[in-house]
Amino acid sequence: MMAYIAYAVAWISVSAAVIAGIYMTGSAWCLLAFLFVAFIKVKRRSDDDEHEKETD
C-alpha cells in the first residue's frame, strides 16, 4: 500500500512542477519531466513483509 502512495506523491508533485514550468516558460519542453517519473521503481523493504506476516 505504501508503494502506491509513493507513486501517487511522485506523479502529483511532478505534475504540479510541470504545470508551473509550462506556465512560467510557455514551453512544452517541461513535459519531458514525466519521463523521470515513468522510470521510478519503488521497492518494499523485506522487514516490512516480515512485520505484516507477524500481524496476520
Short mmCIF file of all heavy atoms in Angstrom, two decimals:
data_model
loop_
_atom_site.label_atom_id
_atom_site.label_comp_id
_atom_site.label_asym_id
_atom_site.label_seq_id
_atom_site.Cartn_x
_atom_site.Cartn_y
_atom_site.Cartn_z
N MET A 1 0.82 -1.19 0.00
CA MET A 1 0.00 0.00 0.00
C MET A 1 0.87 1.26 0.00
O MET A 1 0.55 2.21 -0.68
CB MET A 1 -0.90 -0.04 1.24
CG MET A 1 -1.77 1.16 1.38
SD MET A 1 -2.99 1.15 0.09
CE MET A 1 -3.93 2.54 0.52
N MET A 2 1.95 1.25 0.76
CA MET A 2 2.80 2.43 0.84
C MET A 2 3.47 2.72 -0.50
O MET A 2 3.75 3.87 -0.82
CB MET A 2 3.87 2.24 1.92
CG MET A 2 3.30 2.19 3.32
SD MET A 2 2.41 3.67 3.77
CE MET A 2 3.72 4.83 3.92
N ALA A 3 3.72 1.69 -1.30
CA ALA A 3 4.35 1.91 -2.60
C ALA A 3 3.42 2.70 -3.50
O ALA A 3 3.86 3.57 -4.25
CB ALA A 3 4.71 0.58 -3.25
N TYR A 4 2.13 2.42 -3.43
CA TYR A 4 1.18 3.15 -4.25
C TYR A 4 1.10 4.61 -3.83
O TYR A 4 0.96 5.49 -4.68
CB TYR A 4 -0.21 2.51 -4.17
CG TYR A 4 -0.24 1.12 -4.74
CD1 TYR A 4 -0.61 0.04 -3.95
CD2 TYR A 4 0.10 0.88 -6.07
CE1 TYR A 4 -0.63 -1.23 -4.47
CE2 TYR A 4 0.08 -0.39 -6.59
CZ TYR A 4 -0.29 -1.44 -5.79
OH TYR A 4 -0.31 -2.71 -6.31
N ILE A 5 1.22 4.87 -2.56
CA ILE A 5 1.22 6.25 -2.07
C ILE A 5 2.47 6.98 -2.57
O ILE A 5 2.40 8.14 -2.98
CB ILE A 5 1.12 6.29 -0.53
CG1 ILE A 5 -0.24 5.75 -0.09
CG2 ILE A 5 1.34 7.69 0.00
CD1 ILE A 5 -0.38 5.54 1.39
N ALA A 6 3.59 6.29 -2.58
CA ALA A 6 4.83 6.90 -3.07
C ALA A 6 4.73 7.24 -4.55
O ALA A 6 5.16 8.31 -4.98
CB ALA A 6 6.00 5.96 -2.82
N TYR A 7 4.14 6.34 -5.33
CA TYR A 7 3.93 6.63 -6.75
C TYR A 7 3.00 7.81 -6.94
O TYR A 7 3.23 8.68 -7.78
CB TYR A 7 3.34 5.42 -7.48
CG TYR A 7 4.33 4.32 -7.77
CD1 TYR A 7 4.15 3.04 -7.29
CD2 TYR A 7 5.45 4.56 -8.57
CE1 TYR A 7 5.05 2.03 -7.56
CE2 TYR A 7 6.35 3.56 -8.86
CZ TYR A 7 6.15 2.30 -8.35
OH TYR A 7 7.05 1.32 -8.63
N ALA A 8 1.93 7.85 -6.18
CA ALA A 8 0.96 8.94 -6.30
C ALA A 8 1.59 10.28 -5.95
O ALA A 8 1.39 11.28 -6.66
CB ALA A 8 -0.24 8.67 -5.40
N VAL A 9 2.37 10.31 -4.90
CA VAL A 9 3.04 11.56 -4.50
C VAL A 9 4.02 12.00 -5.58
O VAL A 9 4.10 13.19 -5.90
CB VAL A 9 3.75 11.37 -3.14
CG1 VAL A 9 4.68 12.52 -2.84
CG2 VAL A 9 2.71 11.23 -2.04
N ALA A 10 4.74 11.06 -6.15
CA ALA A 10 5.70 11.40 -7.21
C ALA A 10 4.98 11.98 -8.43
O ALA A 10 5.39 13.02 -8.96
CB ALA A 10 6.51 10.17 -7.61
N TRP A 11 3.91 11.35 -8.86
CA TRP A 11 3.18 11.83 -10.03
C TRP A 11 2.53 13.18 -9.77
O TRP A 11 2.56 14.08 -10.62
CB TRP A 11 2.13 10.82 -10.48
CG TRP A 11 2.72 9.72 -11.30
CD1 TRP A 11 3.00 8.45 -10.88
CD2 TRP A 11 3.11 9.78 -12.67
NE1 TRP A 11 3.55 7.74 -11.92
CE2 TRP A 11 3.63 8.52 -13.02
CE3 TRP A 11 3.09 10.79 -13.63
CZ2 TRP A 11 4.11 8.25 -14.30
CZ3 TRP A 11 3.56 10.50 -14.90
CH2 TRP A 11 4.06 9.25 -15.22
N ILE A 12 1.96 13.35 -8.60
CA ILE A 12 1.30 14.62 -8.28
C ILE A 12 2.31 15.76 -8.20
O ILE A 12 2.07 16.85 -8.72
CB ILE A 12 0.48 14.49 -6.98
CG1 ILE A 12 -0.72 13.57 -7.22
CG2 ILE A 12 0.03 15.85 -6.46
CD1 ILE A 12 -1.43 13.15 -5.95
N SER A 13 3.43 15.51 -7.55
CA SER A 13 4.43 16.58 -7.41
C SER A 13 5.06 16.94 -8.75
O SER A 13 5.26 18.12 -9.05
CB SER A 13 5.50 16.19 -6.40
OG SER A 13 6.17 15.03 -6.82
N VAL A 14 5.34 15.95 -9.59
CA VAL A 14 5.91 16.25 -10.90
C VAL A 14 4.87 16.95 -11.78
O VAL A 14 5.20 17.86 -12.54
CB VAL A 14 6.45 14.97 -11.57
CG1 VAL A 14 6.79 15.21 -13.03
CG2 VAL A 14 7.67 14.48 -10.83
N SER A 15 3.61 16.56 -11.66
CA SER A 15 2.55 17.23 -12.42
C SER A 15 2.46 18.71 -12.05
O SER A 15 2.34 19.57 -12.93
CB SER A 15 1.20 16.56 -12.17
OG SER A 15 1.23 15.23 -12.60
N ALA A 16 2.53 19.00 -10.76
CA ALA A 16 2.49 20.40 -10.32
C ALA A 16 3.71 21.16 -10.84
O ALA A 16 3.59 22.31 -11.28
CB ALA A 16 2.43 20.46 -8.80
N ALA A 17 4.87 20.52 -10.81
CA ALA A 17 6.08 21.18 -11.30
C ALA A 17 6.01 21.42 -12.81
O ALA A 17 6.43 22.47 -13.30
CB ALA A 17 7.31 20.33 -10.97
N VAL A 18 5.47 20.46 -13.54
CA VAL A 18 5.34 20.62 -14.99
C VAL A 18 4.36 21.74 -15.32
O VAL A 18 4.61 22.57 -16.20
CB VAL A 18 4.92 19.30 -15.65
CG1 VAL A 18 4.47 19.51 -17.10
CG2 VAL A 18 6.07 18.31 -15.61
N ILE A 19 3.25 21.79 -14.62
CA ILE A 19 2.27 22.85 -14.84
C ILE A 19 2.90 24.22 -14.57
O ILE A 19 2.74 25.16 -15.36
CB ILE A 19 1.02 22.63 -13.97
CG1 ILE A 19 0.24 21.42 -14.48
CG2 ILE A 19 0.14 23.87 -13.94
CD1 ILE A 19 -0.86 20.95 -13.55
N ALA A 20 3.61 24.32 -13.46
CA ALA A 20 4.28 25.59 -13.14
C ALA A 20 5.33 25.93 -14.18
O ALA A 20 5.46 27.09 -14.59
CB ALA A 20 4.90 25.51 -11.75
N GLY A 21 6.08 24.95 -14.63
CA GLY A 21 7.11 25.19 -15.63
C GLY A 21 6.54 25.64 -16.96
O GLY A 21 7.06 26.56 -17.59
N ILE A 22 5.45 25.01 -17.38
CA ILE A 22 4.82 25.42 -18.64
C ILE A 22 4.24 26.81 -18.51
O ILE A 22 4.34 27.63 -19.42
CB ILE A 22 3.75 24.39 -19.06
CG1 ILE A 22 4.42 23.09 -19.49
CG2 ILE A 22 2.89 24.94 -20.19
CD1 ILE A 22 3.45 21.97 -19.79
N TYR A 23 3.65 27.09 -17.36
CA TYR A 23 3.06 28.42 -17.15
C TYR A 23 4.14 29.51 -17.15
O TYR A 23 3.96 30.56 -17.76
CB TYR A 23 2.30 28.43 -15.82
CG TYR A 23 1.68 29.76 -15.49
CD1 TYR A 23 0.54 30.19 -16.14
CD2 TYR A 23 2.24 30.59 -14.53
CE1 TYR A 23 -0.03 31.42 -15.86
CE2 TYR A 23 1.69 31.82 -14.22
CZ TYR A 23 0.54 32.23 -14.89
OH TYR A 23 -0.01 33.44 -14.60
N MET A 24 5.26 29.25 -16.50
CA MET A 24 6.31 30.27 -16.40
C MET A 24 7.11 30.42 -17.69
O MET A 24 7.49 31.53 -18.05
CB MET A 24 7.26 29.93 -15.25
CG MET A 24 6.66 30.19 -13.90
SD MET A 24 7.88 30.04 -12.62
CE MET A 24 7.40 28.51 -11.87
N THR A 25 7.40 29.32 -18.36
CA THR A 25 8.26 29.39 -19.54
C THR A 25 7.48 29.47 -20.84
O THR A 25 8.01 29.95 -21.84
CB THR A 25 9.20 28.18 -19.61
OG1 THR A 25 8.42 26.99 -19.78
CG2 THR A 25 10.06 28.08 -18.37
N GLY A 26 6.27 28.94 -20.83
CA GLY A 26 5.48 28.91 -22.07
C GLY A 26 5.96 27.85 -23.04
O GLY A 26 5.56 27.82 -24.20
N SER A 27 6.81 26.95 -22.58
CA SER A 27 7.38 25.91 -23.42
C SER A 27 6.86 24.55 -23.00
O SER A 27 6.70 24.27 -21.81
CB SER A 27 8.90 25.93 -23.31
OG SER A 27 9.45 24.85 -24.02
N ALA A 28 6.63 23.70 -23.99
CA ALA A 28 6.15 22.34 -23.70
C ALA A 28 7.30 21.39 -23.37
O ALA A 28 7.06 20.22 -23.08
CB ALA A 28 5.36 21.82 -24.88
N TRP A 29 8.53 21.85 -23.39
CA TRP A 29 9.67 21.01 -23.06
C TRP A 29 9.61 20.48 -21.63
O TRP A 29 10.22 19.47 -21.30
CB TRP A 29 10.98 21.75 -23.27
CG TRP A 29 11.36 21.84 -24.71
CD1 TRP A 29 11.20 22.91 -25.53
CD2 TRP A 29 11.96 20.80 -25.48
NE1 TRP A 29 11.65 22.60 -26.78
CE2 TRP A 29 12.13 21.32 -26.78
CE3 TRP A 29 12.35 19.50 -25.21
CZ2 TRP A 29 12.68 20.56 -27.80
CZ3 TRP A 29 12.91 18.76 -26.23
CH2 TRP A 29 13.06 19.28 -27.50
N CYS A 30 8.86 21.16 -20.80
CA CYS A 30 8.73 20.72 -19.40
C CYS A 30 8.04 19.37 -19.29
O CYS A 30 8.18 18.67 -18.29
CB CYS A 30 7.95 21.76 -18.61
SG CYS A 30 8.72 23.37 -18.56
N LEU A 31 7.30 18.99 -20.32
CA LEU A 31 6.61 17.70 -20.31
C LEU A 31 7.58 16.53 -20.26
O LEU A 31 7.21 15.43 -19.86
CB LEU A 31 5.71 17.57 -21.54
CG LEU A 31 4.53 18.52 -21.58
CD1 LEU A 31 3.84 18.43 -22.94
CD2 LEU A 31 3.55 18.21 -20.47
N LEU A 32 8.83 16.76 -20.62
CA LEU A 32 9.82 15.69 -20.56
C LEU A 32 10.09 15.24 -19.12
O LEU A 32 10.63 14.15 -18.90
CB LEU A 32 11.12 16.15 -21.21
CG LEU A 32 11.04 16.34 -22.73
CD1 LEU A 32 12.36 16.92 -23.24
CD2 LEU A 32 10.73 15.03 -23.42
N ALA A 33 9.71 16.05 -18.15
CA ALA A 33 9.90 15.67 -16.74
C ALA A 33 9.09 14.42 -16.39
O ALA A 33 9.45 13.70 -15.46
CB ALA A 33 9.52 16.82 -15.84
N PHE A 34 8.02 14.17 -17.14
CA PHE A 34 7.22 12.97 -16.86
C PHE A 34 8.01 11.69 -17.15
O PHE A 34 7.68 10.63 -16.62
CB PHE A 34 5.93 12.98 -17.68
CG PHE A 34 4.90 13.92 -17.15
CD1 PHE A 34 4.45 14.97 -17.92
CD2 PHE A 34 4.38 13.78 -15.87
CE1 PHE A 34 3.50 15.85 -17.45
CE2 PHE A 34 3.43 14.65 -15.38
CZ PHE A 34 2.99 15.69 -16.17
N LEU A 35 9.05 11.78 -17.96
CA LEU A 35 9.88 10.60 -18.21
C LEU A 35 10.62 10.16 -16.96
O LEU A 35 10.82 8.96 -16.75
CB LEU A 35 10.89 10.90 -19.33
CG LEU A 35 10.30 11.07 -20.72
CD1 LEU A 35 11.40 11.44 -21.70
CD2 LEU A 35 9.58 9.82 -21.16
N PHE A 36 11.02 11.11 -16.12
CA PHE A 36 11.68 10.74 -14.87
C PHE A 36 10.77 9.91 -13.98
O PHE A 36 11.18 8.92 -13.39
CB PHE A 36 12.13 11.99 -14.11
CG PHE A 36 13.21 12.76 -14.80
CD1 PHE A 36 13.00 14.06 -15.19
CD2 PHE A 36 14.44 12.18 -15.07
CE1 PHE A 36 13.99 14.78 -15.83
CE2 PHE A 36 15.44 12.89 -15.71
CZ PHE A 36 15.21 14.19 -16.10
N VAL A 37 9.52 10.31 -13.90
CA VAL A 37 8.58 9.61 -13.04
C VAL A 37 8.22 8.25 -13.63
O VAL A 37 7.97 7.29 -12.90
CB VAL A 37 7.31 10.45 -12.82
CG1 VAL A 37 6.34 9.77 -11.89
CG2 VAL A 37 7.66 11.81 -12.29
N ALA A 38 8.20 8.15 -14.94
CA ALA A 38 7.85 6.89 -15.58
C ALA A 38 8.86 5.79 -15.27
O ALA A 38 8.51 4.61 -15.28
CB ALA A 38 7.73 7.09 -17.09
N PHE A 39 10.10 6.16 -14.96
CA PHE A 39 11.14 5.17 -14.70
C PHE A 39 11.39 4.93 -13.21
O PHE A 39 12.32 4.22 -12.86
CB PHE A 39 12.44 5.59 -15.38
CG PHE A 39 12.35 5.58 -16.88
CD1 PHE A 39 12.51 6.75 -17.60
CD2 PHE A 39 12.07 4.42 -17.56
CE1 PHE A 39 12.42 6.74 -18.97
CE2 PHE A 39 11.97 4.40 -18.93
CZ PHE A 39 12.14 5.56 -19.65
N ILE A 40 10.56 5.48 -12.36
CA ILE A 40 10.73 5.27 -10.93
C ILE A 40 10.24 3.87 -10.56
O ILE A 40 9.19 3.42 -11.00
CB ILE A 40 9.94 6.32 -10.11
CG1 ILE A 40 10.57 7.68 -10.26
CG2 ILE A 40 9.87 5.91 -8.64
CD1 ILE A 40 9.80 8.77 -9.54
N LYS A 41 11.02 3.20 -9.72
CA LYS A 41 10.61 1.91 -9.19
C LYS A 41 10.76 1.96 -7.68
O LYS A 41 11.84 2.24 -7.16
CB LYS A 41 11.46 0.78 -9.76
CG LYS A 41 11.03 -0.57 -9.27
CD LYS A 41 11.81 -1.68 -9.92
CE LYS A 41 11.29 -3.01 -9.40
NZ LYS A 41 11.99 -4.14 -9.98
N VAL A 42 9.69 1.69 -6.98
CA VAL A 42 9.71 1.73 -5.53
C VAL A 42 9.73 0.31 -5.01
O VAL A 42 8.91 -0.52 -5.39
CB VAL A 42 8.48 2.49 -4.98
CG1 VAL A 42 8.48 2.48 -3.47
CG2 VAL A 42 8.44 3.90 -5.51
N LYS A 43 10.71 0.01 -4.16
CA LYS A 43 10.82 -1.32 -3.58
C LYS A 43 10.30 -1.30 -2.15
O LYS A 43 10.43 -0.31 -1.44
CB LYS A 43 12.27 -1.78 -3.54
CG LYS A 43 12.80 -2.31 -4.80
CD LYS A 43 14.18 -2.88 -4.52
CE LYS A 43 14.72 -3.58 -5.71
NZ LYS A 43 16.04 -4.14 -5.43
N ARG A 44 9.76 -2.41 -1.75
CA ARG A 44 9.38 -2.57 -0.34
C ARG A 44 10.54 -3.19 0.39
O ARG A 44 11.24 -4.04 -0.13
CB ARG A 44 8.16 -3.48 -0.24
CG ARG A 44 6.94 -2.86 -0.83
CD ARG A 44 5.78 -3.76 -0.71
NE ARG A 44 5.50 -3.97 0.71
CZ ARG A 44 4.60 -4.83 1.16
NH1 ARG A 44 3.92 -5.56 0.33
NH2 ARG A 44 4.38 -4.95 2.44
N ARG A 45 10.71 -2.76 1.62
CA ARG A 45 11.77 -3.35 2.43
C ARG A 45 11.31 -4.73 2.89
O ARG A 45 10.15 -4.95 3.17
CB ARG A 45 12.07 -2.47 3.64
CG ARG A 45 12.67 -1.17 3.24
CD ARG A 45 13.15 -0.38 4.41
NE ARG A 45 12.49 -0.71 5.66
CZ ARG A 45 12.33 0.12 6.66
NH1 ARG A 45 12.78 1.34 6.56
NH2 ARG A 45 11.75 -0.25 7.77
N SER A 46 12.25 -5.64 3.00
CA SER A 46 11.90 -7.01 3.37
C SER A 46 11.42 -7.10 4.81
O SER A 46 10.61 -7.95 5.14
CB SER A 46 13.09 -7.95 3.15
OG SER A 46 14.17 -7.55 3.96
N ASP A 47 11.90 -6.22 5.70
CA ASP A 47 11.46 -6.31 7.08
C ASP A 47 10.01 -5.85 7.22
O ASP A 47 9.32 -6.24 8.15
CB ASP A 47 12.37 -5.52 8.02
CG ASP A 47 12.43 -4.05 7.67
OD1 ASP A 47 12.09 -3.69 6.54
OD2 ASP A 47 12.85 -3.27 8.56
N ASP A 48 9.49 -5.04 6.28
CA ASP A 48 8.07 -4.71 6.30
C ASP A 48 7.23 -5.94 6.03
O ASP A 48 6.17 -6.12 6.63
CB ASP A 48 7.74 -3.64 5.24
CG ASP A 48 8.26 -2.28 5.63
OD1 ASP A 48 8.57 -2.08 6.83
OD2 ASP A 48 8.36 -1.42 4.74
N ASP A 49 7.70 -6.80 5.13
CA ASP A 49 6.97 -8.03 4.83
C ASP A 49 6.90 -8.93 6.05
O ASP A 49 5.87 -9.54 6.33
CB ASP A 49 7.64 -8.78 3.67
CG ASP A 49 7.51 -8.03 2.36
OD1 ASP A 49 6.56 -7.24 2.22
OD2 ASP A 49 8.38 -8.24 1.50
N GLU A 50 8.00 -9.03 6.79
CA GLU A 50 8.02 -9.88 7.98
C GLU A 50 7.06 -9.34 9.04
O GLU A 50 6.39 -10.10 9.71
CB GLU A 50 9.43 -9.96 8.54
CG GLU A 50 10.39 -10.71 7.63
CD GLU A 50 11.82 -10.64 8.12
OE1 GLU A 50 12.03 -10.12 9.24
OE2 GLU A 50 12.71 -11.08 7.40
N HIS A 51 6.99 -8.03 9.16
CA HIS A 51 6.10 -7.42 10.15
C HIS A 51 4.63 -7.71 9.79
O HIS A 51 3.84 -8.00 10.66
CB HIS A 51 6.32 -5.92 10.22
CG HIS A 51 5.40 -5.22 11.15
ND1 HIS A 51 5.44 -5.39 12.51
CD2 HIS A 51 4.38 -4.36 10.92
CE1 HIS A 51 4.50 -4.68 13.07
NE2 HIS A 51 3.84 -4.03 12.12
N GLU A 52 4.31 -7.65 8.50
CA GLU A 52 2.94 -7.94 8.08
C GLU A 52 2.58 -9.38 8.34
O GLU A 52 1.45 -9.71 8.70
CB GLU A 52 2.75 -7.59 6.62
CG GLU A 52 2.73 -6.09 6.37
CD GLU A 52 2.56 -5.75 4.90
OE1 GLU A 52 2.34 -6.68 4.10
OE2 GLU A 52 2.65 -4.58 4.57
N LYS A 53 3.54 -10.31 8.15
CA LYS A 53 3.27 -11.72 8.40
C LYS A 53 3.01 -11.98 9.87
O LYS A 53 2.20 -12.82 10.22
CB LYS A 53 4.44 -12.58 7.91
CG LYS A 53 4.56 -12.62 6.41
CD LYS A 53 5.77 -13.43 6.00
CE LYS A 53 5.96 -13.40 4.50
NZ LYS A 53 7.18 -14.10 4.10
N GLU A 54 3.70 -11.26 10.74
CA GLU A 54 3.52 -11.45 12.17
C GLU A 54 2.15 -10.97 12.62
O GLU A 54 1.57 -11.53 13.54
CB GLU A 54 4.60 -10.71 12.94
CG GLU A 54 5.99 -11.29 12.77
CD GLU A 54 7.04 -10.44 13.44
OE1 GLU A 54 6.68 -9.42 14.08
OE2 GLU A 54 8.23 -10.78 13.32
N THR A 55 1.63 -9.94 12.00
CA THR A 55 0.35 -9.39 12.44
C THR A 55 -0.83 -10.16 11.90
O THR A 55 -1.93 -10.02 12.40
CB THR A 55 0.21 -7.92 12.03
OG1 THR A 55 0.34 -7.80 10.61
CG2 THR A 55 1.26 -7.07 12.71
N ASP A 56 -0.62 -10.98 10.84
CA ASP A 56 -1.74 -11.75 10.27
C ASP A 56 -2.13 -12.92 11.13
O ASP A 56 -1.55 -13.42 11.97
CB ASP A 56 -1.36 -12.27 8.87
CG ASP A 56 -1.34 -11.13 7.88
OD1 ASP A 56 -1.91 -10.07 8.18
OD2 ASP A 56 -0.73 -11.32 6.81
#
